[in-house]
Amino acid sequence: IVVDPVMVATSGSTLMKTDAVETLIGELLPIATVVTPNIPEGEILSGMSIDSEESMVRAAKKIGDSYNCAVLLKGGHNINDANDLLYSNGEHTWFRGERIDNPNTHGTGCTLSSAVASNLAKGFSLNKSVKRAKDYISRALKAQLNLGKGSGPMAHNFDLSGEFSKEKE
């Protein structure tokens, strides 16, 4: 079970009411395999300020240990470039990424979580699922889809029958 908390948007807007946050923490996180908060959501779930890679490690550990699940703490938010931290089974692994100059980033966090879940369902390990998901996001952003005005979606369809559609061999 992959839980993307969707509590705080990249813009800083609150997306979830307090009682919904309590339900998320009390009901969903205890049954999660992995939770995928962004930095503001990680601050809420850990009760800690996150302002560096070191504090990302401490917060991910606190969240993971508190809810007995893996944590993919999504970077960015002016702390690092596009680097995400996976905390699982007492160990942390950095997944380094590149910041891609594309204003159309709407839904990248949800897409990353969905891609992790899809790869887990295909039989990949958690680490491999995260790596494949990050690679997918990077390539979808590099495809530079430009629809309408404002922050639009990425090009999810850039590789419909390529490597990301394959299952574990």
Side-chain angles (χ1 to χ4, degrees):
I1 297 173
V2 178
V3 176
D4 186 10
V6 194
M7 298 162 53
V8 182
T10 300
S11 66
S13 300
T14 301
L15 302 173
M16 192 180 284
K17 294 182 180 181
T18 303
D19 58 341
V21 172
E22 291 169 4
T23 301
L24 170 81
I25 290 170
E27 302 293 328
L28 291 177
L29 295 188
I31 63 170
T33 303
V34 60
V35 61
T36 62
N38 60 28
I39 296 296
E41 293 160 347
E43 289 181 328
I44 292 168
L45 294 174
S46 68
M48 301 171 60
S49 176
I50 302 173
D51 58 6
S52 66
E53 287 192 353
E54 294 78 21
S55 60
M56 282 180 73
V57 172
R58 288 191 302 274
K61 179 179 180 356
K62 184 170 183 184
I63 296 165
D65 292 350
S66 295
Y67 303 107
N68 196 30
C69 63
V71 178
L72 179 60
L73 185 54
K74 297 176 285 195
H77 297 266
N78 299 320
I79 290 178
N80 57 32
D81 209 13
N83 302 325
D84 300 334
L85 173 71
L86 178 64
Y87 175 81
S88 179
N89 297 319
E91 297 183 12
H92 71 273
T93 305
W94 284 100
F95 290 86
R96 304 289 178 186
E98 65 178 298
R99 180 144 327 256
I100 297 163
D101 186 18
N102 182 341
N104 298 306
T105 59
H106 186 74
T108 52
C110 298
T111 300
L112 180 66
S113 299
S114 296
V116 169
S118 296
N119 282 292
L120 288 169
K122 290 178 179 183
F124 293 100
S125 69
L126 180 56
N127 279 27
K128 185 70 172 178
S129 293
V130 170
K131 171 80 170 89
R132 286 174 54 88
K134 283 197 60 75
D135 290 347
Y136 171 79
I137 292 286
S138 293
R139 291 188 46 205
L141 286 168
K142 284 180 182 178
Q144 296 289 331
L145 179 65
N146 192 16
L147 297 175
K149 296 180 181 181
S151 179
M154 328 169 252
H156 290 94
N157 63 342
F158 76 94
D159 187 31
L160 292 177
S161 59
E163 73 179 273
F164 296 107
S165 64
K166 295 178 183 170
E167 295 194 27
K168 183 180 173 193
E169 296 177 2

